[in-house]
Amino acid sequence: MNLAVNIGGIFMKNPVATASGTFGYGGEYADFIDLNKLGAIVTKGITLLPRGGNPVPRIVETPSGMLNSIGLENPGVEVVLEKYLPYLRGFDVPVIINIAGDTIDDYVRLAATLEGVQGVSGLEINISCPNVKKGGLAFGSDPESAAEVISEIRGVTALPLIAKLSPNVTSIARVAERVADAGADAVSLINTLTGMSIDIRKRKPVLANIVGGLSGPAIRPVAVRAVWQVYQAVSIPIIGMGGITCARDALEFIMAGATGVAVGMASFVNPRTTIEVLEGIEAFMKENGIEDVAELIGSAHKN
Amino acid sequence: MNLAVNIGGIFMKNPVATASGTFGYGGEYADFIDLNKLGAIVTKGITLLPRGGNPVPRIVETPSGMLNSIGLENPGVEVVLEKYLPYLRGFDVPVIINIAGDTIDDYVRLAATLEGVQGVSGLEINISCPNVKKGGLAFGSDPESAAEVISEIRGVTALPLIAKLSPNVTSIARVAERVADAGADAVSLINTLTGMSIDIRKRKPVLANIVGGLSGPAIRPVAVRAVWQVYQAVSIPIIGMGGITCARDALEFIMAGATGVAVGMASFVNPRTTIEVLEGIEAFMKENGIEDVAELIGSAHKN
Amino acid sequence: MFNSKYEIEENYQVFPGHYLMAFKSLDIARTALPGQFLHIRCYQGTEPILRRPLSIHSINKEKNLVYILYRVCGRGTGLLSGMKAGEMLDVLGPLGNGFTMPKNDEKIVLMGGGIGAAPLFFLLEEIKTHFDKRIDKVSVFLGAANSDLIVGKEKINKMGFSGYYATDDGSSGFKGTVIDLFETIWTEGSPDRIYACGPSPMFRSLAEAADKNARIEVSVEEHMGCGLGVCLSCVCKVAGPGTSTENAHICVDGPVFDLRKIIF
Amino acid sequence: MFNSKYEIEENYQVFPGHYLMAFKSLDIARTALPGQFLHIRCYQGTEPILRRPLSIHSINKEKNLVYILYRVCGRGTGLLSGMKAGEMLDVLGPLGNGFTMPKNDEKIVLMGGGIGAAPLFFLLEEIKTHFDKRIDKVSVFLGAANSDLIVGKEKINKMGFSGYYATDDGSSGFKGTVIDLFETIWTEGSPDRIYACGPSPMFRSLAEAADKNARIEVSVEEHMGCGLGVCLSCVCKVAGPGTSTENAHICVDGPVFDLRKIIF
Ligand SMILES: Cc1cc2nc3c(=O)[nH]c(=O)nc-3n(C[C@H](O)[C@H](O)[C@H](O)COP(=O)(O)OP(=O)(O)OC[C@H]3O[C@@H](n4cnc5c(N)ncnc54)[C@H](O)[C@@H]3O)c2cc1C
Ligand SMILES: Cc1cc2nc3c(=O)[nH]c(=O)nc-3n(C[C@H](O)[C@H](O)[C@H](O)COP(=O)(O)OP(=O)(O)OC[C@H]3O[C@@H](n4cnc5c(N)ncnc54)[C@H](O)[C@@H]3O)c2cc1C
Ligand SMILES: Cc1cc2nc3c(=O)[nH]c(=O)nc-3n(C[C@H](O)[C@H](O)[C@H](O)COP(=O)(O)O)c2cc1C
Ligand SMILES: Cc1cc2nc3c(=O)[nH]c(=O)nc-3n(C[C@H](O)[C@H](O)[C@H](O)COP(=O)(O)O)c2cc1C
Ligand code: FES
Ligand code: FES
């Protein structure tokens, strides 16, 4: 049975990755799962300089989901390379660094810094964070500026580039087309939907940042649809995510066209979700006599 | 205690309306609630000619929500005027007719047909239905074409016009601005988010129409955010909806800036939701010594 | 039509994966007709959010008990199966149109596939009440995957009806489908009236197997939102005037339809 | 750190709106420290989806029973209160850093506001085990809205600690806040060490009321996602090197902090 997939040059032994920002820098979950079993580890989004993030409250639960407005708190690229990467190099798993910036120059400098660093298998370019004032979603919500970020980064690195796309746009397929043209090796989708919640007793937004990003099972139908549409629009591989809690959910994404899947906030609820998703996919393939996971990718388009 | 609100010329005795497509033509829920207590009744979307809608399955349940792809099944404007409107005229409640079309001309002719009809208090212009091939969302996803539909309709009717907006856009505030400029008296938001669900056993989309519209509590954070943003962008009144199940939920919308609220799929689950929302708003106002619901509208922007 | 919370009297597994629940409701016990269904809220929170349509399986009019018989196949029925006597059940109903009652002299066949047999028992109860003298004219054909899953064999015997049973694996009675069994047993003439409940492939075979003159009433299933004709999700195409077709809404125009009118 | 399902031993209302639950867990009973917390899944479905952080209230090491004491204030705790003995509870923990233990001669004050008092009992148990000879040096101050809501008065007496009680409405003991009570009673000198649990306004008053030399450890609350330092939702600002401030993450760096280091 073959589970291995190739995400734009990143060889994954199975399709199951972690979603940025929901798995820390890997070690946090090592008590619960064998990291070596993962298809890939995607780190929390990092920036050139350390960031404190937004004020609290930063999260609020919503029906079958949650809003977060972390605001890219991270210790900066230097600390990540010194403190966290050496640990991750100890595992036989591709590490994908998720990067964000306020300006195109920030992205370019980050990418250049990470170029050639041992243990970095690829970059996920976060142009879809709804929780920072500058950069982030501002780039991702316009196909042309999204393409510009990607092509500038492309200029400084040979690392596989995965453009992380936002669902907060009129046409995610159009953004995917443009980043593919600009040199992205793969796309990952979806980042969170912009949302908010109001505390009716205090008569003010719950999150200090007012808006936050909606994730969890609530958004899965939107995410599956996005993967479906992007699969029809581009030929580069897709990492699908948004509300995956079990193998059934992951298979929805794969059948819609995702080559890889990422488990996000479900890890908070059940730290073993990634592994259970993997085991469930294997069980499904066995039951259905499927030899290669490739047979399942995009299969819902054919029926 | 004053609960009455004015939605662009439609006088509602309280802010609680029904959402189009989730309350039929009114009579279906008369066994469970006193229709006279409602702020307004918004009918199922109607078109010039009868429509059969999409093949089944047309709905599928999703986490804290549902997808529908009804596809505007309706008996056409003539039958609605003959068969359903006379019944509704028997109540002391403004009736808002939700209209849809494939072409601008369809909208214009529908609006002209409804102009001056006794018992029609206003029109809700559905430029946001994700379930029809032509028209619908195609108009609503571009600010300019949305404005064009509204201004053409404006040309043929003096009825209050409510533009129903889609969340499937990069900037709903921008669409709201343009329809306000074009002569809309109010906006209602949000229509459903485009989503889909896959049956992993059959390896194909659950809905015969492939994609459908996501509604229910799952989308509430997106809807509240949309109301918040539109409230900052335009000065015409907003009817807020998306996942309202109780007074607490409705108050989120009102505090975010909605003058009216509409109960959608929650009526399927609890046929008395509209009335319970209304009673809950009254109770909240009493507890908090609020004399006029106007004090609550947009109040979360001030704290 | 009512929407209220009724106290659960009992709820237990009758055979593997299938539960029988009774709740006390004067409203429904007094007004329901065979073939009608209930729209039941399995959870008070928002996930799962929709009600579940379940047929009325049986009614005890003395005790005002309403029975449902259900197969656990997902989250809603899973939550239902965990409910205990004394808890309150949120029920909307009775909904839809039921079976038409037989005429006095008719030869009647009731046919059920799997859990589809559930609503037939309420119909049998009514037939027994109103046509007690002619129950020899009634034959009941039930099919299931295996002998464990045949619904209410004993009850059928106790009520005095003739029962015929088919299983896919031959573990009890005839080996084959309920339609095969019917064709094997019923070799002469035609029943005047057939009531059938089960999956739609069964209806298609039945349309072919049965005599053109028999009136066939079937109970149709489709995913439902409101149960009240509002959401327009539960459509089934039926013959309209002339050669036209039109949309019927299963929750209000059905769930029972004249099989000949359904367009598959 | 464990994530497993443990059998619930008992779960009942101790006073209005407050429940005490015990579950059997060798893992947690053997390894947990006072002040640590558990991240508990209240429902196996997706709504509500997040775990709920709840402190360890008490541990019975002979029976490997772990107790939580919780106030029902929303959906998660509501569902928790409906769970019955014999059901399995999905627990992640023990999490975070607990209280540091007192030094031998220290005069100790424990201070709890409302349900915030919950974790103090596990601490009292440990103090009693390790410092049994000096429990006269320990004073416990508890405050609540009214006398019904004072947590564990009897237990404090039974363990031999001196307890002082304040209620907002004066329905029992001192009328006023627990800080007012502390200031009224403790007029001479300063405790060496104060452990406090409660709402953050209480911490602010405490920072003002207490002697500069007392070491004050407080347990801080914030909305939590993962409980493992991953999601970065549970931030609290603390003093960094020099005059700098930095982010502490309550779930891993806390929930217990040196009050003087917290920047409100
Ligand atoms: C009129 C009518 C009468 C019925 N009577 C019975 C009965 O007496 N006993 C019985 O066991 N079953 C009956 N069914 C089928 C029953 O409604 C489904 O098995 C049930 O809804 C499944 O819910 P779930 O949460 O367990 O499954 P899930 O798969 O979690 O359900 C997901 C969604 O799909 C819908 N759904 C899934 N299967 C069906 C189905 N077969 N028909 C309609 N909706 C479905 C659910 O209602 C829900 O909205 C009837 C269906 C209809 C339409
Ligand atoms: C470290 C720690 C220890 C705690 N120990 C206890 C204890 O021993 N006993 C007790 O009764 N309570 C304790 N709490 C508070 C408890 O976590 C909340 O009361 C509980 O999460 C509320 O959940 P709910 O579903 O009932 O409320 P809801 O309002 O439905 O919760 C919605 C969301 O808000 C979060 N939330 C709401 N209130 C709080 C809060 N005060 N702190 C953190 N998150 C909150 C919930 O976890 C959930 O994510 C503790 C909190 C923390 C952080
Ligand atoms: C707490 C939190 C932090 C996140 N941080 C990041 C981030 O730093 N960079 C990024 O690209 N996405 C981030 N995301 C988005 C996730 O990677 C993922 O796209 C999204 O949560 C949808 O998946 P889910 O529904 O499975 O959680 C974050 C999500 C959450 C919940
Ligand atoms: C079954 C169904 C049918 C709908 N039909 C229409 C329609 O005809 N016209 C329209 O403008 N919106 C329609 N809607 C959208 C609702 O009016 C509403 O905008 C949406 O469902 C969000 O509200 P909710 O989450 O409370 O259901 C429909 C929604 C549902 C669920
Ligand atoms: S279930 Fe809504 S119309 Fe039938
Ligand atoms: S709860 Fe996730 S970092 Fe603390």
Side-chain angles (χ1 to χ4, degrees), chain C residues 136-199:
Chain C
D136 56 317
K137 301 214 165 186
V138 181
S139 316
V140 184
F141 292 83
L142 297 184
N146 62 56
S147 67
D148 281 352
L149 304 178
I150 293 182
V151 175
K153 212 165 173 168
E154 280 163 39
K155 195 164 172 185
I156 291 169
N157 293 335
K158 228 169 81 186
M159 291 173 89
F161 294 104
S162 333
Y164 305 90
Y165 308 97
T167 52
D168 295 347
D169 66 356
S171 53
S172 147
F174 180 85
K175 177 168 177 171
T177 72
V178 68
I179 307 281
D180 296 340
L181 171 63
F182 166 72
E183 290 191 292
T184 309
I185 303 254
W186 201 288
T187 47
E188 259 167 79
S190 162
D192 299 301
R193 194 180 275 266
I194 301 176
Y195 300 102
C197 300

Side-chain angles (χ1 to χ4, degrees), chain C residues 32-70:
Chain C
L33 302 169
Q36 286 190 307
F37 71 97
L38 308 172
H39 215 24
I40 293 182
R41 193 159 174 190
C42 303
Y43 186 56
Q44 287 301 312
T46 68
E47 169 49 29
I49 190 164
L50 292 176
R51 291 176 178 270
R52 297 320 195 227
L54 293 165
S55 304
I56 300 170
H57 171 57
S58 163
I59 286 188
N60 178 331
K61 292 194 180 170
E62 280 97 68
K63 298 190 179 161
N64 294 315
L65 291 180
V66 180
Y67 289 84
I68 53 175
L69 177 70
Y70 59 97

Side-chain angles (χ1 to χ4, degrees), chain A residues 18-22 42-46 58-59 66-70 72-73 98-100 124-129 131 164-165 188-192 213-217 219-220 241-245 262-266 268, chain D residues 230-233:
Chain A
T18 64
S20 176
T22 63
V42 182
T43 65
K44 170 71 189 161
I46 67 172
R58 288 181 173 187
I59 62 165
M66 64 179 273
L67 288 165
N68 88 77
S69 59
I70 307 303
L72 289 179
E73 174 180 342
N98 179 288
I99 64 170
E124 184 177 55
I125 319 301
N126 179 359
I127 47 172
S128 43
C129 181
N131 295 319
K164 181 145 180 193
L165 306 186
S188 58
L189 47 131
I190 59 176
N191 209 321
T192 52
L214 183 63
S215 60
I219 69 168
R220 196 168 60 236
M241 75 196 81
I244 294 176
T245 66
V263 172
M265 69 157 290
F268 305 161
Chain D
V230 167
C231 71
L232 312 180
S233 61

Side-chain angles (χ1 to χ4, degrees), chain C residues 39 223-235 249-252:
Chain C
H39 215 24
H223 287 211
M224 289 187 177
C226 63
L228 299 169
V230 167
C231 70
L232 311 181
S233 61
C234 63
V235 156
H249 298 100
I250 294 169
C251 65
V252 284

